[in-house]
Amino acid sequence: MLCSYGMIVVIFPHKDQSDVGVRQELQVDASRVRVDPSKELGKGNWTVVYKGELDGHPVAVKKAVKDEIELRREMCILQELSHENVVKLQGTCFKDGNLLEILELCHQGSLEHMVKEKADVLDVPTRHSMAMDVAKGLFYLHNCRVY
């Protein structure tokens, strides 16, 4: 497997932890991870995110619902990023035959949830601060050539 940040990523699907394409220190033993399928945090076209635990600490756990290729690409990119306004990759593992991406849990929920569900209670300074944080994160991603 070739995993290259900021370039074309060529991925060959495999079902073992040794060839996910992330650094060894991010590969987590599945026994350390708990996923609660009843606590779905979000869903996209190709993944679903659940609340889970890594060594007893709350995390978000992303699982592919279709092809794992996009999830593998995302892992390859996230392992290289470090910014306070970009969610952190905390690990990867195979559990019950599924590749899982273990991410930092945003305790207040997603930005989408904050804007849609709590818009009426967000004052202007809070909205401004949120917009600035998003801009900082996007600026960082742009400078890293993540589009």
Side-chain angles (χ1 to χ4, degrees), residues 6 9 17-18 34 37 54 86 101 112 114-115 118-119 130:
V9 178
Q17 183 71 10
S18 65
R34 294 181 190 254
L54 174 62
V86 177
E101 181 179 61
E112 178 183 22
M114 292 292 291
V115 171
K118 299 186 178 187
M130 289 171 66

Side-chain angles (χ1 to χ4, degrees), residues 2-29:
L2 170 66
C3 183
S4 180
Y5 169 66
M7 299 169 65
I8 294 174
V9 178
V10 178
I11 296 178
F12 304 99
H14 294 282
K15 284 289 186 187
D16 67 40
Q17 183 71 10
S18 65
D19 205 9
V20 174
V22 297
R23 293 187 304 269
Q24 186 71 32
E25 65 267 19
L26 289 171
Q27 296 175 13
V28 174
D29 186 271

